[in-house]
């Protein structure tokens, strides 16, 4: 009886020790240039996503002063095109900012959820900094500062 118990115990311990082992092929590549890291994690190539720009708007006249300063976001600024959004004077504005390829000058337009609209002209002085001005439908004028 003792011999059978030792054999069963040995088989169980060996099986338990080997049950967590598996074979992982190294240096495998996936279609499209992916592969596996040394730890076996899949590597899937992905296009770089640029961080959003911050757009700060400062009042430039009395109408803008009544609405107050604000800041917004230019998200997904890929290839000179991004979504422009901000809130000012109790209104939410959504639109887009565009720039021609290899140009420093751009245009941003946004419409508000209560019927307002804004047009901004800007120029980028570097890849991450720019400035310009925004004119709103109610005559408010803002100085625009863009940074990443």
């Amino acid at each position: 009886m003792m011999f059978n118990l030792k054999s069963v115990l040995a088989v169980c311990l060996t099986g338990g020790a080997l049950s967590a082992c598996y074979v992982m092929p190294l240096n495998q590549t996936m279609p499209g240039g992916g592969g596996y890291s040394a730890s076996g994690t899949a590597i899937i190539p992905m296009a770089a996503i640029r961080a959003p720009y911050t757009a700060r708007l400062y009042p430039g006249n009395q109408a803008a002063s009544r609405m107050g300063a604000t800041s917004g976001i230019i998200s997904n600024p890929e290839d000179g095109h991004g979504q422009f959004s901000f809130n000012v004077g109790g209104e939410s504005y959504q639109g887009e900012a565009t720039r021609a390829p290899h140009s420093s000058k751009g245009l941003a337009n946004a419409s508000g959820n209560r019927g307002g609209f804004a047009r901004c002209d800007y120029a980028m002085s570097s890849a991450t900094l720019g400035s310009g001005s925004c004119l709103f439908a109610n005559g408010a004028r803002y100085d625009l500062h863009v940074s990443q």
Side-chain angles (χ1 to χ4, degrees), residues 16 27-28 31 39 42 46 55 62 65 88 91-92 99 117 131 145:
N27 299 325
Q28 295 292 311
S39 67
M46 202 173 176
Q62 278 296 355
S65 291
V88 67
E91 190 166 5
S92 296
R99 236 179 339 132
F117 61 89
S131 62
H145 296 262

Side-chain angles (χ1 to χ4, degrees), residues 15-112:
L18 294 176
S19 68
C21 295
Y22 61 94
V23 176
M24 173 65 114
L26 296 177
N27 299 325
Q28 295 292 311
T29 59
M30 293 172 48
Y36 293 94
S37 69
S39 67
T41 304
I43 300 171
I44 300 171
M46 202 173 176
I49 298 173
R50 287 184 90 170
Y53 287 92
T54 299
R56 293 177 313 283
L57 289 87
Y58 298 102
N61 64 9
Q62 278 296 355
S65 291
R66 286 189 292 275
M67 293 169 61
T70 190
S71 64
I73 297 288
I74 301 172
S75 57
N76 303 320
E78 301 303 318
D79 299 323
H81 181 267
Q83 288 79 40
F84 184 39
S85 61
F86 60 94
N87 295 312
V88 67
E91 190 166 5
S92 296
Y93 288 82
Q94 299 285 323
E96 62 183 357
T98 57
R99 236 179 339 132
H102 310 292
S103 175
S104 63
K105 293 184 179 185
L107 176 67
N109 290 301
S111 59

